Amino acid sequence: MSLPEKHNADTKKLLKSVPKSTIAKWLLEQGYYPEQYVVPPCFQVKKFELQARPYCEVDISGVQSKFEPEKSDLINVSFPKTQLTDRTFGIIEPKIYHDLVWYLMDEWDLITKSLFKPQNKIYPYSFPIPISKRSEGGLSQLRSGRMIYEFLEMAENDLVAEAYNYKFILKTDIKNFYPSIYTHSIAWAIHTKELIRTKGNRANYSKYLGLKLDKLIQYANDGCTNGIAIGPAISDLLSEIILSSVDTETSKLITAQNIDFLGVRFKDDYRFLCQSKEDANFIIKTLQRQMAKFNLMLNESKSKIDELPEGLFREWTAIYQPFSLRYRKKVGYKRFESSLRGTLSVDKQFEGTGVVDRFLSELVTSNYELKFDFKEKDLLKAISLLLLLKERRNKSFPQILGIIEKIIEKNKDKKRVISKIRSVLENILNDKLKKDADNEYDLIWLIYFVKSLGLFTIEFPKKINSPLIKSLKLNHLEFFKPVPKEMKLFETIKNPGKNRRLLDHLALFKKT
């Protein structure tokens, strides 16, 4: 048994040991909001329990069953991914989200069969529910934002260990995956397209779970059949169900050709080990044909075949190594600046990697204490450089604020430092508030940061369109109103010193 196959078998076994009630609780409480770096800690579930019945039930009183959830829209938050494109995350209306979990739990055995098909030989490393041997029978608190680094590393290491048996590696991913998901394909993946399209089945909501899930996802997004929300754990679970079906059919066709291969997948990112370029070409063409049946497409610009050992590793990790601060207990200013410059160089060469996140995570210890204690002049330069680093990777802004929070905490008696930080952040905030629609992501983090530390009074514009910014201003949830009384989806921002530290909240990387 290969390591990826064993990983998949272990995942299935561990999942089976977890009670459905525990899974439902995690999906509702930990999985409702997107990953930690998307929204600040106040957007946190305090109470969200699985009810005895769903909010929307199938109406079987007529000749044909009906299923009509109340139509809603996603609450979106975006940050720039490139100069021309944004990455947009979505929050699902809570009653719809609850019902997605309810119906999944109601037929959980069917879901697990859809996820773990014996003929699937492409082994996923992106199971969205955080099971692990360390918490057998239960779940950890990890979200995929943190899991991604651990599981990418695991998948990479497992492939390296098996690579001696093969000669080539194929890498590819799905183009614009979540926004391209066709909601009807959820039912196809669970029940097969042929069965769902059989006369009399297309609207048989009482019989087919996939149809209910399809309708709920549609109505969470104003009736749209293209695209699912990025961020909620339920979206990750549904995407795994879809790709499990794609992977299984692809596996069957490759196996039928007696091709010796080993395939792994992390979310929409594929790696295949095989014996020849001809095999690699057959694999990618087969995978693309199966993707097309689900209205999905591989990303040609990111598809590559390499002769081993080339292509086994993420190249940026080796180039970044000389600049890494991972094993340093203390960091002086010169080393900090040198490492930051190296990070920028690697990021420029390998755009879109996690090198900036990695660098930032290495500035703190396993207990989230700063590794540096610069003199005042150097400290002010470091803060300036950190804020400039945000322009290279928008996603890193919460981490940068988390480090600045620790700087404030450590230097609270240095009036000049605190005054400078306050002045810089106030200028940034006021400037961004002038165009709040274009700066929503930065603003929700800045506003939370300023309010949680009591740095200064924020002068909000009279008109605020963003429900997230409104929520922060008024310190209670300002969307999906009225929220059912049995749900509490917002953590009030408390007085300074009583809020959760940002670095604790984010905790993106394991520390050693």
Side-chain angles (χ1 to χ4, degrees):
M1 182 183 287
S2 68
L3 289 173
E5 187 177 1
K6 185 179 185 305
H7 169 76
N8 193 56
D10 288 345
T11 301
K12 182 179 179 181
K13 180 183 175 183
L14 287 166
L15 181 64
K16 198 172 181 180
S17 72
V18 182
K20 280 197 304 183
S21 59
T22 302
I23 294 169
K25 180 179 172 66
W26 185 88
L27 285 169
L28 290 167
E29 294 181 358
Q30 303 297 325
Y32 177 67
Y33 284 112
E35 289 95 328
Q36 287 89 339
Y37 65 87
V38 179
V39 290
C42 56
F43 296 101
Q44 179 184 339
V45 172
K46 302 302 293 177
K47 184 182 179 185
F48 198 171
E49 296 174 354
L50 195 68
Q51 303 299 303
R53 300 300 306 167
Y55 290 96
C56 180
E57 300 194 52
V58 178
D59 180 359
I60 55 173
S61 60
V63 176
Q64 191 174 42
S65 62
K66 293 181 181 179
F67 187 64
E68 291 295 327
E70 187 177 340
K71 195 175 287 187
S72 181
D73 210 343
L74 299 171
I75 296 296
N76 290 321
V77 58
S78 305
F79 60 77
K81 189 177 179 183
T82 67
Q83 200 73 12
L84 298 174
T85 62
D86 289 344
R87 184 164 178 80
T88 301
F89 295 83
I91 303 169
I92 295 173
E93 196 280 328
K95 293 192 294 295
I96 291 179
Y97 189 91
H98 169 276
D99 285 0
L100 284 163
V101 176
W102 196 97
Y103 284 111
L104 282 166
M105 293 302 106
D106 192 48
E107 297 191 51
W108 188 240
D109 287 345
L110 175 60
I111 293 302
T112 54
K113 286 176 184 175
S114 299
L115 288 165
F116 299 98
K117 298 182 177 182
Q119 290 177 293
N120 185 10
K121 305 301 178 187
I122 301 170
Y123 304 109
Y125 280 75
S126 47
F127 194 70
I129 298 169
I131 51 177
S132 75
K133 291 179 180 178
R134 293 190 297 271
S135 55
E136 189 166 352
L139 300 174
S140 75
Q141 298 300 304
L142 287 177
R143 272 302 305 273
S144 55
R146 304 181 195 184
M147 290 160 64
I148 184 170
Y149 301 105
E150 293 186 27
F151 282 102
L152 268 176
E153 189 174 331
M154 187 190 301
E156 189 176 80
N157 289 340
D158 286 357
L159 273 189
V160 170
E162 300 286 347
Y164 71 95
N165 286 313
Y166 300 91
K167 295 177 182 175
F168 289 86
I169 183 169
L170 161 66
K171 293 183 284 189
T172 189
D173 70 12
I174 304 170
K175 189 174 183 179
N176 208 24
F177 180 38
Y178 278 63
S180 299
I181 290 176
Y182 187 43
T183 63
H184 295 338
S185 68
I186 298 168
W188 301 346
I190 296 172
H191 310 289
T192 74
K193 185 187 288 190
E194 292 72 25
L195 183 61
I196 291 299
R197 286 187 166 180
T198 300
K199 187 177 180 180
N201 287 347
R202 286 179 186 242
N204 195 342
Y205 294 102
S206 61
K207 187 174 182 181
Y208 297 111
L209 167 65
L211 294 176
K212 292 190 281 286
L213 299 176
D214 171 14
K215 196 69 168 283
L216 286 164
I217 287 292
Q218 281 183 50
Y219 277 42
N221 193 17
D222 198 31
C224 294
T225 56
N226 280 319
I228 66 173
I230 301 174
I234 211 80
S235 296
D236 296 334
L237 188 57
L238 293 174
S239 70
E240 284 295 317
I241 291 168
I242 292 167
L243 290 186
S244 175
S245 182
V246 171
D247 294 349
T248 300
E249 294 308 309
T250 302
S251 297
K252 289 178 186 176
L253 292 167
I254 299 171
T255 303
Q257 296 296 313
N258 293 317
I259 290 175
D260 181 16
F261 79 102
L262 180 61
V264 300
R265 175 177 58 76
F266 185 89
K267 292 196 173 185
D268 59 350
D269 194 2
Y270 285 86
R271 299 285 186 274
F272 293 91
L273 298 178
C274 56
Q275 300 295 355
S276 68
K277 279 191 175 181
E278 290 74 22
D279 289 348
N281 283 320
F282 180 85
I283 289 168
I284 196 169
K285 287 176 182 177
T286 302
L287 182 60
Q288 176 55 61
R289 281 195 294 270
Q290 296 308 309
M291 289 287 174
K293 292 180 180 180
F294 284 78
N295 290 13
L296 298 170
M297 183 184 298
L298 293 178
N299 195 335
E300 190 173 353
S301 66
K302 292 186 178 180
S303 300
K304 190 178 181 185
I305 301 169
D306 284 309
E307 189 169 1
L308 294 171
E310 293 295 320
L312 268 179
F313 302 97
R314 287 166 289 161
E315 196 173 345
W316 71 265
T317 58
I319 298 173
Y320 172 68
Q321 198 59 41
F323 309 111
S324 174
L325 303 172
R326 183 176 182 179
Y327 297 109
R328 288 180 175 262
K329 293 181 179 179
K330 295 287 183 182
V331 178
Y333 179 77
K334 286 186 177 180
R335 177 62 189 177
F336 164 84
E337 188 178 292
S338 172
S339 184
L340 184 142
R341 291 170 67 183
T343 299
L344 290 173
S345 175
V346 174
D347 184 67
K348 189 174 183 179
Q349 189 177 352
F350 301 94
E351 292 183 14
T353 63
V355 65
V356 172
D357 300 331
R358 176 70 69 184
F359 165 74
L360 291 169
S361 77
E362 291 174 353
L363 292 175
V364 295
T365 68
S366 58
N367 296 320
Y368 303 107
E369 297 298 329
L370 297 177
K371 289 184 179 180
F372 59 84
D373 186 14
F374 302 150
K375 293 178 181 177
E376 190 171 302
K377 185 178 178 182
D378 289 336
L379 187 58
L380 293 174
K381 285 194 292 182
I383 292 167
S384 176
L385 288 171
L386 287 170
L387 289 170
L388 285 171
L389 194 60
K390 177 260 171 193
E391 300 305 318
R392 185 62 70 89
R393 184 167 171 83
N394 286 279
K395 177 185 170 184
S396 69
F397 193 40
Q399 267 184 292
I400 291 167
L401 289 177
I403 291 169
I404 293 174
E405 181 181 36
K406 293 298 295 185
I407 290 172
I408 291 172
E409 184 181 301
K410 195 169 184 178
N411 296 274
K412 57 187 176 185
D413 296 327
K414 296 180 181 178
K415 292 183 179 180
R416 183 167 175 264
V417 171
I418 302 302
S419 176
K420 181 66 174 177
I421 292 172
R422 186 183 291 118
S423 174
V424 167
L425 292 179
E426 190 166 10
N427 288 337
I428 292 172
L429 179 60
N430 289 336
D431 190 53
K432 289 184 180 295
L433 278 171
K434 293 173 185 175
K435 294 183 178 180
D436 58 316
D438 296 332
N439 296 298
E440 183 184 34
Y441 180 73
D442 291 353
L443 282 169
I444 61 174
W445 284 97
L446 270 170
I447 293 166
Y448 175 82
F449 183 78
V450 169
K451 292 190 75 169
S452 67
L453 295 179
L455 288 179
F456 52 83
T457 301
I458 300 171
E459 296 292 332
F460 288 95
K462 290 182 179 179
K463 186 178 180 182
I464 299 172
N465 293 316
S466 164
L468 293 166
I469 294 176
K470 281 183 185 176
S471 299
L472 286 160
K473 177 187 176 182
L474 300 173
N475 210 7
H476 58 74
L477 202 67
E478 281 294 305
F479 49 88
F480 299 138
K481 296 195 296 185
V483 175
K485 63 181 184 299
E486 60 270 19
M487 302 177 190
K488 292 182 181 178
L489 308 177
F490 190 86
E491 172 73 79
T492 302
I493 304 171
K494 302 177 183 68
N495 291 330
K498 295 184 178 180
N499 298 291
R500 192 179 185 195
R501 292 186 179 94
L502 287 184
L503 289 179
D504 294 338
H505 169 71
L506 294 164
L508 282 176
F509 286 90
K510 288 190 300 181
K511 301 293 191 305
T512 55

